[in-house]
Amino acid sequence: AAGRAAAMAGATGGGGGSEDDEDLFAFIGRLDAEAAARLFGSCRWAALGVLQHLGPLARQMVMRLLAVGGPTPWAFWESCVTAETAARARLREARDQMLALKVLVSDRDRDTLSLRPSFRDQITLALADDDTQRLPWQDENIAKRARGVDLAKLESRARRKWTAILHFIVGSSEFRPPDARVIKLLVSMGLMQHRADTLHPKITRAGYHFMLRDIHNQLWLFIRHYTQQVERPESVLQMLFKMCFCKPGSPCSAASLDRTQRTLLDDFELFGLVSRDSSGSDIFYPTSLGVNIVFGQSREEKMAAAARAIDMDPTASGATGPPPVLGV
């Protein structure tokens, strides 16, 4: 499917817009102050995910600001590095990254920096948590209520669902057409369009360029479309950050999901990002597709996926998400 799209995209020429190249963290940079406060305010996983994305110097600044607890003059930070131009430039880059990701609050009149309160509080709670194995969406009885899952089969079904969507976009009949909700979404995103002379919609120029992206970027484009349809996009982002700290195949409870997230969960299953419990309970199981939306795959995970694709390692279980931080 990707090969066919590459040939057609080459014929049509051009590339996607700059907004299409925006990742999740760049999207956070466009949130207003109130949305950023809500993003971190009730979700430690969002705070931990952003912390993990920061560069080493920025993370060090976060730890120092946690200890200080209040505004810190910019002159203090400059005194912490040498007067070399390169060192000062790296310090400014770290500051700018933290400001862009809504981690810092800047008082320009006083020339001070402080952590955003909601971000600071969630990182502090994570540091103080005694449960070093805590995962999102867990409750006391979930282990008893959950059924055992075959991780290899779970991953295989997930990949098949996603592959079927890609084949449908390029007009392949190798797989059954996806759910009507998926088709409607493909059309609303401009990846396909209806024509009077065809039964199914046809791929558009935007659809060809979509096919040339890596899988995690493709999935993010779907998620970004959701954020444009809801009143509070931070609810969608919170769900993504929580998923990135899950383990593929681990049971999760949907009891605490809000209305937006429950709708998103239904569509996630159509894309192969999660698997719902067949018994009709509120339990779902993230797949590696869902776990890796935020951070993508490590080099080792990409090599393992390539090996599975050519049947070198058919029993490999897939990605496990980002390494834990701050004892989580």
Side-chain angles (χ1 to χ4, degrees), residues 72-194:
T72 305
W74 177 243
F76 165 77
W77 296 107
E78 290 185 316
S79 70
C80 294
V81 299
T82 64
E84 297 177 1
T85 302
R88 294 293 174 89
R90 288 194 293 271
L91 181 65
R92 289 192 296 271
E93 288 174 1
R95 176 200 61 190
D96 292 345
Q97 184 189 32
M98 296 167 73
L99 287 170
L101 290 172
K102 312 299 183 182
V103 169
L104 281 184
V105 177
S106 175
D107 186 331
R108 294 186 178 182
D109 293 334
R110 299 182 179 181
D111 199 20
T112 61
L113 299 173
S114 57
L115 291 177
R116 186 173 299 279
S118 55
F119 177 86
R120 178 199 62 213
D121 293 346
Q122 291 299 330
I123 297 299
T124 301
L125 288 173
L127 284 169
D129 194 347
D130 292 333
D131 186 357
T132 59
Q133 302 300 316
R134 185 186 299 276
L135 294 173
W137 296 310
Q138 301 295 299
D139 60 45
E140 295 180 357
N141 300 316
I142 194 166
K144 297 178 180 179
R145 295 188 291 119
R147 60 180 175 84
V149 296
D150 185 319
L151 187 55
K153 290 182 179 179
L154 181 77
E155 295 294 324
S156 177
R157 287 196 300 269
R159 292 282 173 173
R160 187 172 180 82
K161 285 183 178 181
W162 182 247
T163 300
I165 293 174
L166 298 183
H167 274 261
F168 180 77
I169 292 175
V170 298
S172 168
S173 58
E174 184 174 341
F175 294 83
R176 293 178 57 185
D179 187 273
R181 295 208 307 275
V182 175
I183 298 176
K184 182 178 179 180
L185 181 61
L186 295 173
V187 173
S188 68
M189 290 178 64
L191 303 181
M192 304 186 78
Q193 63 181 12
H194 288 288

Side-chain angles (χ1 to χ4, degrees), residues 171-243:
S172 168
S173 58
E174 184 174 341
F175 294 83
R176 293 178 57 185
D179 187 273
R181 295 208 307 275
V182 175
I183 298 176
K184 182 178 179 180
L185 181 61
L186 295 173
V187 173
S188 68
M189 290 178 64
L191 303 181
M192 304 186 78
Q193 63 181 12
H194 288 288
R195 296 179 182 175
D197 59 339
T198 59
L199 176 62
H200 296 301
K202 295 296 184 181
I203 189 170
T204 63
R205 180 175 177 175
Y208 287 124
H209 292 292
F210 172 85
M211 292 296 298
L212 298 181
R213 297 175 178 274
D214 69 72
I215 186 171
H216 302 295
N217 189 275
Q218 290 173 336
L219 288 166
W220 162 243
L221 290 181
F222 275 109
I223 303 304
R224 192 190 67 191
H225 185 74
Y226 276 102
T227 65
Q228 298 167 348
Q229 311 303 313
V230 298
E231 182 179 353
R232 292 191 171 184
E234 66 274 5
S235 178
V236 178
L237 300 182
Q238 287 177 345
M239 189 166 184
L240 295 183
F241 277 117
K242 286 185 177 183
M243 283 189 66

Side-chain angles (χ1 to χ4, degrees), residues 74 201 269 279 286:
W74 177 243
E269 184 175 26
S279 67

Side-chain angles (χ1 to χ4, degrees), residues 63-76:
M63 293 299 108
R64 292 196 178 195
L65 283 166
L66 281 175
V68 172
T72 305
W74 177 243
F76 165 77

Side-chain angles (χ1 to χ4, degrees), residues 137 139 145 252-258 262 265 282-284:
W137 296 310
D139 60 45
R145 295 188 291 119
C252 300
S253 172
S256 63
L257 299 182
D258 61 30
R262 285 183 178 275
L265 185 65
D282 66 350
I283 295 177
F284 65 96

